[in-house]
Amino acid sequence: MTAGLKTVILLSFVLAVGFLLIILSCALWSNWLPLLVALTFVIAPLPNAIFAHCGGDDLSSEYEGNPAVDVGRFITSIIVVTGFALPLVLAHAEVIKPTASVMSIVGGGLVYGTILAYSQVFKQDADEF
């Protein structure tokens, strides 16, 4: 097997384990609110993906801070912090069990980490010309 196929298999396994933890955190205690964490971490990379194309001109060799890219990173960070904080707030308010909160946080971290790893491993460079 090639390195690309091994990477895809590993990332899909980690993603499946992450979603399994999130679904188990919901199903074991019959409370489906931790499922919002999965939605949060799936939506989290979208602002980065959208605002990354709002770059400056390609002729500039030095880094110039682009406000659109910074806004995308800021919105992504807000969504990621929300994904980690939501289960803690729900557990503190005794809406969900603390073990469900931990399972949801670990599963959400695995899902978001897998999405980040996939985007970094299979990122296409613009220097192919």
Side-chain angles (χ1 to χ4, degrees):
M1 291 193 305
T2 64
L5 185 59
K6 288 180 184 178
T7 305
V8 169
I9 291 172
L10 177 68
L11 288 176
S12 65
F13 178 73
V14 173
L15 184 67
V17 169
F19 277 122
L20 176 71
L21 282 173
I22 292 172
I23 291 172
L24 281 178
S25 71
C26 297
L28 291 178
W29 289 277
S30 299
N31 190 350
W32 293 94
L33 282 175
L35 198 59
L36 293 174
V37 173
L39 178 68
T40 304
F41 282 115
V42 168
I43 292 175
L46 290 179
N48 266 349
I50 292 170
F51 287 106
H53 297 294
C54 299
D57 58 1
D58 292 332
L59 301 176
S60 174
S61 62
E62 45 187 71
Y63 174 75
E64 298 174 3
N66 189 358
V69 175
D70 291 340
V71 167
R73 290 179 183 158
F74 181 71
I75 294 171
T76 297
S77 65
I78 289 172
I79 295 171
V80 170
V81 169
T82 300
F84 283 115
L86 182 64
L88 294 174
V89 170
L90 290 175
H92 181 72
E94 296 180 356
V95 175
I96 64 173
K97 303 281 185 186
T99 51
S101 173
V102 170
M103 288 174 65
S104 181
I105 289 171
V106 170
L110 286 174
V111 168
Y112 186 65
T114 303
I115 292 170
L116 283 181
Y118 182 82
S119 64
Q120 286 298 324
V121 168
F122 296 106
K123 182 170 59 172
Q124 294 180 356
D125 292 329
D127 299 334
E128 294 178 7
F129 294 100

